[in-house]
Amino acid sequence: MKVIETVVAMRGRRRETEGAVGLVPTMGYLHEGHVSLVRRAREENAVVVVSIFVNPTQFGPREDFKSYPRDTKRDLALLEPLTDVVFMPSAADMYPEKYDTWVEVGGITERLEGAARPGHFRGVATVVAKLFNIVRPARAYFGQKDAQQLAVIRKMVADLNMDLQIIACPTVREPDGLAMSSRNTYLNAEQRRAAAVLYRSLTLARELWQQGENDAGTIRHEMTDLIGREPLADIDYISIGEVNTLKELHRIRTPALVSLAVKIGRVRLIDNVVLE
Ligand code: AMP
């Protein structure tokens, strides 16, 4: 496994590479969710590149860029058996002085995470477009955990005629259902216990739908009620939308994305399930 720390060196390495390249973009502090993407990339490509870059442009001014957890040594040890190249550029290399080009995906970025985090998806789309240009992968791997991010990337790839395949990978969960996330480390023991309410509410949504309920308002109401009984949880949004456009549905038509953002203390968690 080779660790590459500059854009120039990554491009050089790419030029010498033959066969399909699979790219897994990450912000590091890796967990089993990330590793599942890397394993999938390993199965499907000759060469696996994992990027680790805490992208400053996707964080809002009051968000956790500075405190975002980082542990490069541990990340590299986890990747060693599965990865050919780890690309860890500096922010100054990715965004040199006078950097001034941005990728703005319209429409779907206005809702949900985009509404709650202005500029977030502009930063995500820009850095992912740059990584695609630098690494030139045949396939790139993203988690269903960040469902809106996945939809934004798919839209960018379609609209800008980018020549690669986007592969969605299922959400990896803790035994109590909490979706694995680097941000889970912010939770104290009591908050960690409370955080299981996100997946419990998503499971309730799925059960109601399986029992024949197809009124989105009713399902949202039941989820709100369940989460409301957890004193540490504060709902940011609950959405039941069309999977590609994320437009809210009144009557559920499948596939539908049930997604939510909930604050547990100061920690904002997101999760989702697809009804299909
Ligand atoms: P991040 O490091 O949080 O930017 O995540 C990097 C990639 O890993 C993104 O495509 C995420 O959607 C994906 N990912 C994060 N958590 C999980 C999880 N629990 N299961 C599957 N994929 C995940």
Side-chain angles (χ1 to χ4, degrees):
M1 183 174 82
K2 191 159 169 59
V3 178
I4 295 183
E5 293 183 299
T6 68
V7 172
V8 168
M10 185 66 233
R11 301 196 81 115
R13 171 66 190 242
R14 179 63 184 90
R15 275 193 291 272
E16 295 161 8
T17 302
E18 281 171 36
V21 174
L23 171 66
V24 183
T26 82
M27 299 205 299
Y29 212 72
L30 304 179
H31 50 67
E32 190 51 38
H34 299 108
V35 172
S36 72
L37 272 56
V38 181
R39 273 200 212 101
R40 176 87 187 266
R42 179 79 282 163
E43 284 166 18
E44 298 179 350
N45 300 277
V47 176
V48 173
V49 178
V50 177
S51 61
I52 299 178
F53 181 59
V54 185
N55 175 34
T57 66
Q58 71 187 68
F59 288 80
R62 276 175 296 281
E63 293 184 0
D64 56 343
F65 173 66
K66 286 219 174 83
S67 59
Y68 194 85
R70 292 160 168 91
D71 189 344
T72 307
K73 217 173 130 194
R74 191 172 143 269
D75 289 348
L76 295 180
L78 271 172
L79 293 175
E80 173 80 53
L82 293 165
T83 310
D84 301 296
V85 176
V86 180
F87 177 46
M88 329 191 334
S90 68
D93 200 12
M94 290 293 272
Y95 301 106
E97 246 181 88
K98 301 202 175 111
Y99 182 88
D100 209 9
T101 300
W102 303 96
V103 180
E104 298 244 18
V105 177
I108 49 172
T109 58
E110 286 160 21
R111 305 168 210 282
L112 310 179
E113 289 305 289
R117 307 180 65 189
H120 171 65
F121 286 122
R122 174 174 116 135
V124 169
T126 300
V127 79
V128 170
K130 285 169 68 71
L131 290 169
F132 288 176
N133 282 333
I134 296 163
V135 177
R136 288 188 282 121
R139 301 181 189 87
Y141 296 78
F142 293 88
Q144 180 61 39
K145 154 87 174 24
D146 298 282
Q148 189 175 13
Q149 168 172 285
L150 183 61
V152 169
I153 304 289
R154 285 196 192 286
K155 185 83 173 94
M156 172 183 81
V157 165
D159 284 357
L160 294 182
N161 313 100
M162 292 176 165
D163 189 15
L164 80 164
Q165 232 182 311
I166 301 300
I167 313 278
C169 303
T171 302
V172 177
R173 300 179 179 283
E174 302 285 357
D176 67 352
L178 178 66
M180 289 191 180
S181 163
S182 311
R183 288 192 169 101
N184 291 351
T185 58
Y186 297 147
L187 300 166
N188 66 29
E190 204 190 344
Q191 292 168 332
R192 171 62 191 82
R193 178 199 50 74
V197 78
L198 277 83
Y199 189 60
R200 279 210 306 279
S201 75
L202 292 167
T203 305
L204 173 66
R206 187 191 278 134
E207 283 167 4
L208 290 169
W209 174 69
Q210 281 167 346
Q211 289 159 19
E213 181 57 69
N214 69 357
D215 182 69
T218 304
I219 293 181
R220 256 204 315 270
H221 180 83
E222 294 293 327
M223 293 173 74
T224 306
D225 209 52
L226 178 74
I227 298 169
R229 276 181 262 137
E230 173 49 68
L232 297 185
D234 186 11
I235 298 170
D236 192 346
Y237 65 75
I238 297 176
S239 159
I240 303 181
E242 200 275 319
V243 273
N244 294 313
T245 62
L246 307 181
K247 280 198 181 130
E248 290 298 317
L249 295 168
H250 297 293
R251 294 251 150 245
I252 294 178
R253 269 181 286 113
T254 54
L257 179 75
V258 186
S259 61
L260 79 176
V262 174
K263 277 203 190 119
I264 306 283
R266 288 218 199 115
V267 189
R268 190 171 174 282
L269 301 174
I270 60 170
D271 200 355
N272 67 83
V273 294
V274 178
L275 306 180
E276 54 195 337

